[in-house]
């Protein structure tokens, strides 16, 4: 859909881009390799190396000789994610190379920020990617950075595409497309077959949709530890009979953000060849939570794949229902690592906001691996607990489980506890409650669909599964 991420070819016509921090006395810490005229020019322009500050450098004929780009003090690192993503958007046309990179700036991560800032969603209206291009910095693994960007681009494209063109059938097509490109086997269980093959909750949630509900199952070729990723694929969430008010429904095309993220992560894993060293499986329950005569109702009691009965106390808590049946299937295989990703609760946003998705994991070492990888790869995530004492909140009395506990306390935790009930055989289970959306444009992150947690997971895998 969108143009693939790309670096500019190396050539002798590239323009130097100097990354500069502030120096003492309000000036910039200008690199010593910068010639005297450029130094004077930068000072006379008041260039101070503040984050995002740009200073274009002229040559003797008045042409463009290069640019200085301020990246702020090292103390700003926690604030300025993807500083180079902004440079990608504001620099004049040309092929740029990083001339000087402060020692504590990771050139691979910086260039990923550039690529992420160049993303445009072009399916319905042409949009030019910014004309400035970056030559891959020396010494980075360019193919790896491109694979990371490609996974993120895919996730964004899938989320940005509205439900009119991204229903369960189109989500299935996207999954098949990914599988075909990487030689993965595909199995899809569709409509009434969901009942025959015992996925009653996926069927109950999705049967009122314009397109049949389905379970998409991808298996990638490879040998090694088993990794199963389950992504929430609610292509549109009206709330069902417990219909959402307009303001809450507005963004619900993104309710397949979990599916988009697991597909994006699979893309990156496959492009880097990492899939060869594992047994990767992707499961996506794909449904619309719609309203029709056959919609599931508040008060209905569903018997899940696992046998646990669930009282539906709110049809808008649909994600955990479809995920539960998919997780139960995943768990039957006893994978080494089972991960769910879902735009599951508003409560997660209330707790941590749109930029910091919570994740849940019982194992301290696994949680530390994920947290640290996210911190190091500019993909921050924050651990919340599977808090046992709240188990009573999801136990309604006349069924095993309640999908929407009253009271509304700890909504992200009770949703996670609900999902965990459908696991137990997997060696480790981790759940991410993501937002999947960038509410307003920021460096490296245009407004719209957003990947969250993919790089945290990717870079934690060696620590969790062993090399
Ligand atoms: N998809 C929503 C959660 C959501 C809303 C995520 C907004 C991100 C942004 C989910 O299906 C939902 O509606 N959850 C309810 C659960 C409640 C009824 C127990 C919620 O969070 O309000
Ligand atoms: Mn809902
Ligand atoms: Zn939902």
């Amino acid at each position: 859909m969108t143009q693939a991420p790309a670096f500019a070819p190396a050539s002798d016509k590239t323009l130097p881009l100097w990354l500069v921090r502030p120096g003492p006395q309000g000036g910039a810490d200008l690199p010593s390799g910068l010639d005297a005229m450029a130094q004077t020019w930068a000072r006379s322009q008041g260039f101070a190396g503040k984050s995002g500050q740009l200073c274009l450098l002229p040559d003797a004929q008045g042409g463009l000789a290069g640019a200085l780009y301020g990246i702020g003090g090292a103390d700003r690192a926690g604030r300025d994610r993807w500083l180079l993503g902004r440079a990608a958007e504001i620099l004049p046309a040309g092929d740029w190379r990083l001339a000087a990179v402060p020692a504590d700036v990771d050139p691979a991560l910086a260039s990923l920020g550039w690529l992420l800032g160049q993303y445009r969603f072009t399916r319905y209206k042409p949009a030019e990617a910014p004309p400035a291009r970056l030559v891959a910095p020396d010494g980075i693994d360019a193919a790896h950075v491109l694979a990371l960007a490609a996974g993120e681009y895919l996730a964004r494209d899938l989320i940005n595409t509205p439900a009119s063109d991204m229903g369960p059938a189109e989500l299935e097509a996207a999954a098949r497309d990914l599988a075909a490109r990487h030689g993965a086997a595909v199995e899809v269980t569709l409509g009434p077959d969901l009942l025959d093959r015992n996925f009653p909750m996926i069927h109950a949630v999705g049967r009122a949709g314009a397109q049949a509900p389905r379970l998409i199952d991808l298996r990638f070729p490879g040998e090694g530890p088993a990794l199963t990723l389950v992504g929430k694929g609610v292509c549109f969430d009206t709330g069902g009979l417990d219909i959402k008010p307009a303001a809450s429904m507005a963004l619900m095309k993104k309710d397949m953000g979990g599916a988009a993220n697991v597909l994006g992560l699979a893309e990156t894993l496959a492009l880097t060849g990492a899939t060869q060293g594992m047994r990767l499986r992707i499961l996506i329950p794909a449904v619309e939570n719609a309203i029709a005569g056959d919609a599931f109702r508040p008060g209905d009691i569903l018997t899940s794949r696992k046998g646990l009965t669930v009282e539906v106390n709110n049809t808008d808590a649909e994600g955990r229902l479809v995920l539960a049946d998919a997780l139960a299937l995943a768990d039957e295989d006893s994978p080494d690592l089972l991960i769910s990703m879902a735009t599951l609760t508003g409560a997660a946003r209330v707790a941590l906001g749109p930029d910091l998705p919570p994740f849940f994991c019982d194992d301290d070492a696994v949680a530390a691996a994920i947290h640290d990888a996210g911190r190091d790869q500019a993909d921050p995530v924050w651990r919340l607990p599977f808090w046992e004492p709240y188990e009573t909140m999801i136990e309604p009395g006349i069924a095993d489980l309640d999908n929407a506990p009253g009271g509304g306390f700890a909504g992200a935790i009770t949703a996670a506890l609900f999902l965990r009930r459908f696991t137990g055989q997997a060696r480790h289970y981790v759940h991410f409650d993501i937002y999947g959306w960038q509410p307003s444009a920021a460096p490296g992150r245009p407004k719209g669909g957003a990947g969250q947690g993919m790089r945290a997971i990717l870079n934690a895998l060696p620590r969790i599964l062993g090399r």
Side-chain angles (χ1 to χ4, degrees):
M1 275 186 252
T2 297
Q3 228 183 341
F7 286 116
S11 79
D12 49 9
K13 296 210 181 59
T14 56
L15 293 159
L17 177 63
W18 313 77
L19 303 186
V20 184
R21 291 210 193 275
Q25 286 128 34
D29 186 8
L30 293 172
S32 50
L34 204 60
D35 64 54
M37 195 186 89
Q39 303 234 7
T40 306
W41 173 260
R43 276 193 217 98
S44 64
Q45 298 287 310
F47 178 73
K50 288 188 187 145
S51 37
Q53 198 181 5
L54 180 65
C55 178
L56 299 175
L57 301 172
D59 65 15
Q61 288 74 43
L64 186 59
L68 306 174
Y69 185 62
I71 59 170
D75 58 326
R76 296 263 320 183
R79 285 206 197 189
D80 299 329
R81 191 145 58 112
W82 304 133
L83 52 106
L84 223 51
R86 202 175 117 77
E89 304 194 38
I90 61 177
L91 280 170
D95 288 354
W96 297 83
R97 67 174 191 277
L98 296 184
V101 182
D104 55 346
V105 171
D106 175 350
L109 212 51
S111 52
L112 176 60
W114 179 295
L115 298 177
L116 297 183
Q118 290 211 315
Y119 172 87
R120 294 290 179 273
F121 181 57
T122 55
R123 178 159 172 167
Y124 302 94
K125 191 173 96 175
E128 290 289 307
R133 301 193 303 172
L134 183 70
V135 175
D138 286 342
I140 72 159
D141 182 346
H144 185 79
V145 173
L146 288 169
L148 292 170
E152 174 73 24
Y153 278 31
L154 174 61
R156 289 180 184 178
D157 276 348
L158 293 173
I159 296 172
N160 285 331
T161 306
S164 49
D165 286 319
M166 191 49 67
E170 289 90 359
L171 187 54
E172 175 188 333
R176 284 189 186 278
D177 192 55
L178 173 77
R181 277 184 282 119
H182 302 296
V186 186
E187 196 183 328
V188 175
T189 307
L190 185 70
D193 286 354
L194 288 165
L195 293 175
D196 299 337
R197 298 203 194 156
N198 195 23
F199 300 102
M201 298 210 292
I202 299 173
H203 185 268
V205 171
R207 70 191 178 211
Q211 295 180 0
R214 64 205 70 198
L215 177 64
I216 303 162
D217 187 349
L218 309 184
R219 286 177 191 269
F220 287 72
E223 289 300 330
L227 168 64
T228 301
L229 308 175
V230 181
K232 172 175 171 180
V234 175
C235 292
F236 195 80
D237 184 7
T238 66
L241 292 174
D242 289 310
I243 189 170
K244 285 180 185 293
S248 307
M249 206 190 295
L251 272 183
M252 282 299 123
K253 70 172 183 181
K254 78 175 177 71
D255 214 17
M256 33 58 74
N261 270 263
V262 300
L263 291 172
L265 178 52
E267 174 85 288
T268 297
L269 286 167
L271 287 173
T272 59
T275 44
Q276 283 156 28
M278 61 178 70
R279 284 171 292 144
L280 175 64
R281 185 182 193 188
I282 305 288
L283 288 170
I284 296 171
V287 302
E288 300 174 62
N289 188 18
I291 296 173
D294 59 348
F296 73 130
R297 295 162 286 255
D300 283 358
I301 294 180
L302 309 174
T303 300
S304 67
R305 175 178 187 84
K306 196 169 178 174
L308 293 168
T309 54
V310 179
E311 183 176 15
V312 177
N313 281 308
N314 193 323
T315 60
D316 198 10
E318 84 296 338
R320 66 198 75 186
L321 301 176
V322 298
L323 287 168
D325 276 354
L327 283 169
L329 173 70
D331 200 55
E332 289 161 19
D333 255 7
S334 308
D336 297 283
L337 179 58
L338 173 58
I339 298 178
S340 51
M341 303 187 86
T343 49
L344 200 63
T345 71
R349 261 73 271 158
V350 174
L352 299 179
D355 278 355
L356 186 62
F359 72 99
F360 301 80
C361 171
D362 279 324
D363 186 288
D364 291 345
V366 171
I370 291 170
H371 169 271
D372 295 355
R375 180 197 56 206
D376 297 344
Q377 301 300 321
D379 186 19
V381 294
W382 204 260
R383 189 185 187 186
L384 288 183
F386 281 118
W387 188 250
E388 298 268 346
Y390 294 165
E391 290 279 7
T392 53
M393 293 190 195
I394 57 171
E395 293 162 351
I398 64 166
D400 294 317
L401 290 170
D402 179 344
N403 81 327
F409 288 130
I413 295 177
T414 52
L417 287 171
F418 183 99
L419 295 181
R420 192 179 64 165
R421 293 285 189 110
F422 296 86
T423 69
Q425 300 302 311
R427 188 151 64 90
H428 299 294
Y429 172 54
V430 184
H431 162 62
F432 286 81
D433 193 332
I434 61 171
Y435 192 56
W437 190 261
Q438 180 65 29
S440 55
R445 290 171 294 164
K447 179 180 174 178
Q452 289 183 316
M454 286 189 273
R455 285 186 311 283
I457 295 170
L458 181 85
N459 289 282
L461 286 179
R463 247 172 97 180
I464 299 172
L465 298 176
R467 282 180 198 275

